[in-house]
Amino acid sequence: MKKLFIIFVCLCFSTNSFSENLKKAYFAGGCFWCMEESFDKVKGVKVTTSGYSGGHVKNPTYKQVVQENTGHLESVEVVYDSNVITYTTLVNAYFKSIDPFDSKGQFCDKGYSYRSGILYQDLNQKKIIDRKILEIETKFKKKAFVILKKFNEFYKAENYHQDFYEKNFFRYLAYKKACKREERLNELWNN
């Protein structure tokens, strides 16, 4: 009995210490399918979830977010292991996956809900974001259009949006190619 108790206690402590390393971050970069794909490639990212954040409507639907004035952005929740990756590295990866100079949306998706944005959880995160924006604006000598909002709530998108780029690979590739996303990103970040 004592041995079982010790094993149970060890398991509880090891699980708790691991879960303390898992953190969440919230980014909006136009199409949340593309944002999931971008972050899933980053070492230390454990899970990405498509959803909506930053607005005033509770439990919004996709149709509401893209057609109505909900204030939400198509967003992705990124669960990451802070022992493997820092928030700063996530912010750097985020900017490499968007066009920070498009004030109307991202690539072929236009409208408020498709604007780029970061939903920060504390002042430390905001300072990291502000430094990165200043660095980009200085490098390109242009104003960046990235919405910064204090994180409040994240609403998971409908199931058919989750892992869309994997489940509907050819449709997703056709969409991404038609939007010329990769071409613009290469033009911006690989020069």
Side-chain angles (χ1 to χ4, degrees):
M1 182 72 158
K2 195 174 190 181
K3 195 181 242 186
L4 285 174
F5 177 75
I6 291 170
I7 291 170
F8 174 76
V9 170
C10 288
L11 285 173
C12 287
F13 281 114
S14 66
T15 302
N16 286 342
S17 65
F18 176 73
S19 65
E20 288 174 9
N21 300 332
L22 294 181
K23 308 279 186 213
K24 293 181 179 180
Y26 301 89
F27 301 95
C31 167
F32 44 35
W33 305 336
C34 295
M35 295 308 296
E36 272 195 44
E37 180 194 22
S38 294
F39 280 110
D40 281 348
K41 294 175 181 176
V42 177
K43 183 180 179 187
V45 170
K46 299 299 182 186
V47 179
T48 56
T49 304
S50 288
Y52 317 108
S53 196
H56 57 273
V57 174
K58 294 201 177 296
N59 300 309
T61 64
Y62 175 74
K63 186 176 179 181
Q64 285 176 302
V65 170
V66 298
Q67 293 180 355
E68 298 175 16
N69 183 17
T70 65
H72 286 293
L73 300 168
E74 273 199 20
S75 305
V76 65
E77 177 183 72
V78 178
V79 177
Y80 65 100
D81 184 341
S82 62
N83 280 345
V84 177
I85 188 171
T86 64
Y87 185 77
T88 301
T89 304
L90 283 176
V91 169
N92 290 336
Y94 165 75
F95 277 101
K96 295 282 184 171
S97 68
I98 66 161
D99 176 352
F101 307 113
D102 190 339
S103 64
K104 295 182 174 100
Q106 286 293 295
F107 311 97
C108 62
D109 295 315
K110 302 299 178 192
Y112 183 84
S113 65
Y114 294 112
R115 293 264 318 264
S116 57
I118 304 177
L119 300 118
Y120 61 89
Q121 296 172 69
D122 57 43
L123 289 178
N124 186 50
Q125 287 184 351
K126 186 169 185 317
K127 286 178 187 174
I128 291 167
I129 299 160
D130 288 339
R131 274 195 305 268
K132 186 63 181 179
I133 290 172
L134 180 61
E135 176 188 313
I136 289 168
E137 289 178 338
T138 303
K139 176 183 177 180
F140 288 94
K141 296 176 180 49
K142 286 176 150 179
K143 170 115 175 79
F145 295 97
V146 179
I147 296 169
L148 298 183
K149 286 188 174 187
K150 178 90 168 93
F151 175 77
N152 185 24
E153 189 76 44
F154 177 80
Y155 300 98
K156 184 179 175 184
E158 295 81 351
N159 285 335
Y160 69 90
H161 286 299
Q162 306 306 322
D163 303 314
F164 186 91
Y165 79 95
E166 292 175 320
K167 295 176 188 170
N168 300 281
F169 183 71
F170 293 110
R171 184 173 162 205
Y172 171 72
L173 281 183
Y175 157 79
K176 198 163 94 166
K177 185 167 177 61
C179 287
K180 299 183 178 182
R181 188 178 187 105
E182 293 301 318
E183 292 168 14
R184 177 63 177 146
L185 292 176
N186 283 332
E187 177 186 313
L188 276 170
W189 305 113
N190 293 331
N191 287 330

